[in-house]
Amino acid sequence: MNFRTSVLSVLLAILLIVTAGCSAQSSSGSSSKQSKKDITLGFNPGPYQEEFEKGVAPYLKKKGYKIHYKNFTDGVQVNVAVAQGAIDANVMQHPVFMESVNKQEGLHNTGIVQVPTPPMGLYSGKTKTTSIRKGAVVAVPNQASNMYRALVVLQDLGWVKLRKGTDPSTASLKDVVENKHQLNLKPMDNAQEARALKDVDYAVIQGNFAVSSGMKLSSALQLEKMTNRFTNVVTVDEKNKNAQWAKDIVSGYHTQEFKHYIKSHAEYDGYHLPSYFNN
């Protein structure tokens, strides 16, 4: 073997070693990503963290997951946190709200499984009956999609009429085309409505904020007729929807143990249950 051939052989051996090392690192990184066992979830005030901790987390822990929880008071930032990878998922919103935040912030979040959701309801403040008086003050959420839900509750009572074809994601008081009782519809931060109830005649309050304030759904004068687009979901970044940890979260909600937990605890009476509860 001449000198040139010897040098080429050495260089080839080094190249093979480096290539194998890079391949091993890549394989190890991919494997690590696939076997992710630490997951962090974000929540807003309401029942969703307790649902998860007591009904879903036991299943995930048996599969070797370590779970962390973060609380947010803002519905936008908890979505940005998912998109930026600060948290893996959130449980606090319905698809209409999620999609409006996606559009507003340029995000690509998506829902992977529905969760039991308390409906929005009309609650009495200074006035205790649905015998409406002219000029009554009615608090409604100031966020478009939830204002839409509130106005639909009032429409179902015959108190107002909405413009046909109103878009839930952009709804406003301008979409009220009939208000025969001349109600004073007062937009208010969702989280503040329960606290302000004593100062208004009525308030249409989002279910999670009613529950977190100690109010019972059964005390509502009228509950919304919930549909799937306003049923809350577990939200992840779209790129993670097929990750094993995301699939395991979905499986956790589908377990008989989770269904039994919800159905055996009276505090969840009146919640809108996803269709998988029928299986």
Side-chain angles (χ1 to χ4, degrees):
M1 181 183 293
N2 60 34
F3 177 76
R4 183 178 178 183
T5 302
S6 177
V7 169
L8 287 174
S9 297
V10 171
L11 289 174
L12 179 60
I14 292 172
L15 179 62
L16 289 172
I17 291 169
V18 171
T19 302
C22 290
S23 175
Q25 284 184 345
S26 174
S27 174
S28 174
S30 174
S31 174
S32 175
K33 189 174 181 180
Q34 289 299 317
S35 61
K36 173 183 171 72
K37 286 295 183 179
D38 269 38
I39 51 177
T40 302
L41 293 98
F43 298 87
N44 273 178
Y48 307 112
Q49 182 171 337
E50 185 173 20
E51 281 184 9
F52 189 92
E53 282 187 294
K54 295 185 178 179
V56 179
Y59 167 83
L60 293 173
K61 287 177 180 177
K62 286 179 184 177
K63 294 180 76 68
Y65 286 94
K66 185 174 181 180
I67 305 165
H68 310 275
Y69 303 93
K70 286 191 176 181
N71 294 305
F72 294 78
T73 57
D74 179 86
V76 174
Q77 289 307 311
V78 69
N79 276 299
V80 172
V82 166
Q84 292 180 343
I87 60 177
D88 298 298
N90 66 49
V91 193
M92 43 65 66
Q93 67 190 328
H94 51 70
V96 178
F97 181 78
M98 179 192 70
E99 288 161 11
S100 69
V101 176
N102 278 352
K103 185 176 180 180
Q104 173 186 317
E105 301 295 324
L107 310 180
H108 300 282
N109 293 339
T110 188
I112 57 173
V113 64
Q114 291 183 338
V115 305
T117 306
M120 184 174 279
L122 175 72
Y123 293 88
S124 61
K126 295 187 290 187
T127 301
K128 303 301 180 185
T129 73
T130 53
S131 298
I132 190 68
R133 65 174 179 80
K134 186 176 179 180
V137 178
V138 184
V140 296
N142 64 0
Q143 187 278 324
S145 61
N146 289 313
M147 177 182 285
Y148 172 84
R149 296 168 66 193
L151 294 175
V152 169
V153 170
L154 298 180
Q155 181 171 254
D156 288 343
L157 282 167
W159 290 5
V160 302
K161 187 175 180 180
L162 278 174
R163 188 188 317 279
K164 189 175 181 179
T166 297
D167 182 351
S169 66
T170 59
S172 73
L173 295 184
K174 292 179 181 178
D175 291 304
V176 177
V177 294
E178 186 177 307
N179 182 0
K180 60 185 177 182
H181 299 292
Q182 297 177 25
L183 303 177
N184 180 3
L185 300 174
K186 188 174 183 179
M188 191 176 294
D189 182 83
N190 302 21
Q192 301 304 317
E193 284 190 273
R195 193 176 304 168
L197 189 57
K198 65 183 184 300
D199 300 317
V200 297
D201 293 293
Y202 305 95
V204 192
I205 303 175
Q206 214 170 303
N208 60 304
F209 291 117
V211 169
S212 65
S213 297
M215 302 166 67
K216 294 185 179 297
L217 298 179
S218 57
S219 69
L221 298 175
Q222 177 90 357
L223 290 172
E224 75 175 311
K225 299 167 186 173
M226 288 201 73
T227 60
N228 284 340
R229 63 179 177 168
F230 294 119
T231 299
N232 281 15
V233 293
V234 176
T235 299
V236 301
D237 190 299
E238 192 174 55
K239 69 177 182 287
N240 293 323
K241 66 180 181 181
N242 292 318
Q244 188 57 51
W245 58 264
K247 292 179 179 179
D248 287 337
I249 288 175
V250 174
S251 296
Y253 277 98
H254 281 257
T255 62
Q256 292 302 319
E257 289 77 9
F258 176 69
K259 297 173 191 176
H260 175 73
Y261 167 72
I262 294 296
K263 289 184 175 182
S264 63
H265 286 76
E267 61 264 35
Y268 300 114
D269 290 350
Y271 279 46
H272 176 72
L273 301 180
S275 60
Y276 58 79
F277 270 75
N278 299 323
N279 299 332

